Amino acid sequence: LQFTEEKLGQAEKTELDAHLENLLSKAECTKLWTEKIMKQTEVLLQPNPNARIEEFVYEKLDRKAPSRMNNPELLGQYMIDAGNEFGPGTAYGK
């Protein structure tokens, strides 16, 4: 009821404690990075057959495939980026 009244402008917005706001922000960030890393882990464990076919065709044509990060490199980069965002002093950052 409070939320609805706030949205309709009939009640003052509830002010949250700064510490709680910080925790909510960290929780959202953790959720986003965890989902991103989990999705990339699934891609790594169940590779796309089209990507394998593309590699096979380039190999048979004696041509070099376009340079881009492969799945293990991309997962590693996500882990590094997440660690940097959380900082080395956190369990997630380590």
Side-chain angles (χ1 to χ4, degrees):
L1 181 65
Q2 175 72 20
F3 178 78
T4 305
E5 288 178 353
E6 286 176 11
K7 287 296 180 188
L8 296 174
Q10 297 172 351
E12 288 186 36
K13 183 172 171 124
T14 305
E15 293 298 324
L16 299 177
D17 178 72
H19 181 67
L20 178 59
E21 288 280 357
N22 187 27
L23 288 175
L24 289 171
S25 175
K26 284 183 180 179
E28 186 63 26
C29 184
T30 302
K31 177 182 179 250
L32 292 173
W33 274 112
T34 301
E35 287 173 351
K36 197 170 185 177
I37 290 171
M38 283 178 52
K39 185 173 191 258
Q40 188 58 35
T41 300
E42 289 173 9
V43 168
L44 180 65
L45 295 175
Q46 296 181 338
N48 182 345
N50 293 331
R52 285 198 225 162
I53 291 170
E54 181 184 26
E55 289 173 13
F56 177 76
V57 169
Y58 277 113
E59 185 180 311
K60 289 300 175 189
L61 294 175
D62 286 331
R63 298 183 80 195
K64 184 165 173 55
S67 69
R68 59 179 171 245
M69 292 181 101
N70 61 31
N71 290 334
E73 291 170 335
L74 194 55
L75 177 60
Q77 187 62 52
Y78 286 172
M79 290 177 169
I80 290 169
D81 292 345
N84 288 337
E85 187 160 336
F86 291 111
T90 64
Y92 210 126
K94 288 179 187 175

